[in-house]
Structures are given as structure tokens and as C-alpha cells.
Amino acid sequence: MHIGKELKERRLNAKLSQEKLCELANVTKPTLIKIEKGSNNYNIDKLIQLFDALERVVKISTQTKKL
């Protein structure tokens, strides 16, 4: 699942508006909107703040591609 979709789904399940989640995470609304819409250009610290505010763990893994 795309990370932005996951974030939005978790936010909606928690019954939080974008404004409320931004307030809890100390993140701007344009940043949240950008992530939820699927941008790949965001600060990982902001993403962690958002998931922390939702009381969710963020697990990051890397995947190497064979050339």
C-alpha cells in the first residue's frame, strides 16, 4: 500500500480531520496533503511525526533491485 494512502486511512479510522492531525503532529496542512496525495518528495521526519500522532509505528525497509 502506498504510504500516503495508509496515512489517510489511519487518519480517517481515527476520525481525525486533516487540521486536527496537523495540529497533533506539528505539521503543516500542505505537507499532509502532499503526502496523502502520493508525493514521493517529503521529509521522513514529518512522516514519522504524523504516524506518531496517530500512535502508529513506522517501519522503513529498503529493497535493492537487481541490475
Side-chain angles (χ1 to χ4, degrees), residues 3-32:
I3 195 91
K5 278 181 131 176
E6 178 73 18
L7 179 63
K8 184 175 183 177
E9 185 177 299
R10 302 268 182 176
R11 177 179 62 77
L12 294 174
N13 286 340
K15 297 181 175 36
L16 293 174
S17 66
Q18 288 178 325
E19 292 82 5
K20 186 62 179 175
L21 178 55
C22 290
E23 179 185 317
L24 292 170
N26 194 29
V27 170
T28 65
K29 188 173 177 183
T31 296
L32 175 59

Side-chain angles (χ1 to χ4, degrees), residues 27-53:
V27 170
T28 65
K29 188 173 177 183
T31 296
L32 175 59
I33 290 170
K34 182 170 70 169
I35 294 170
E36 284 189 350
K37 285 190 173 188
S39 171
N40 290 326
N41 185 22
Y42 53 81
N43 182 309
I44 193 72
D45 293 331
K46 298 296 181 193
L47 185 64
I48 291 169
Q49 284 173 243
L50 288 161
F51 276 100
D52 280 350

Side-chain angles (χ1 to χ4, degrees), residues 49-66:
Q49 284 173 243
L50 288 161
F51 276 100
D52 280 350
L54 290 169
E55 298 179 353
R56 299 289 182 215
V57 174
V58 177
K59 291 182 182 180
I60 300 170
S61 65
T62 60
Q63 185 176 26
T64 56
K65 294 181 182 179
K66 292 183 180 183

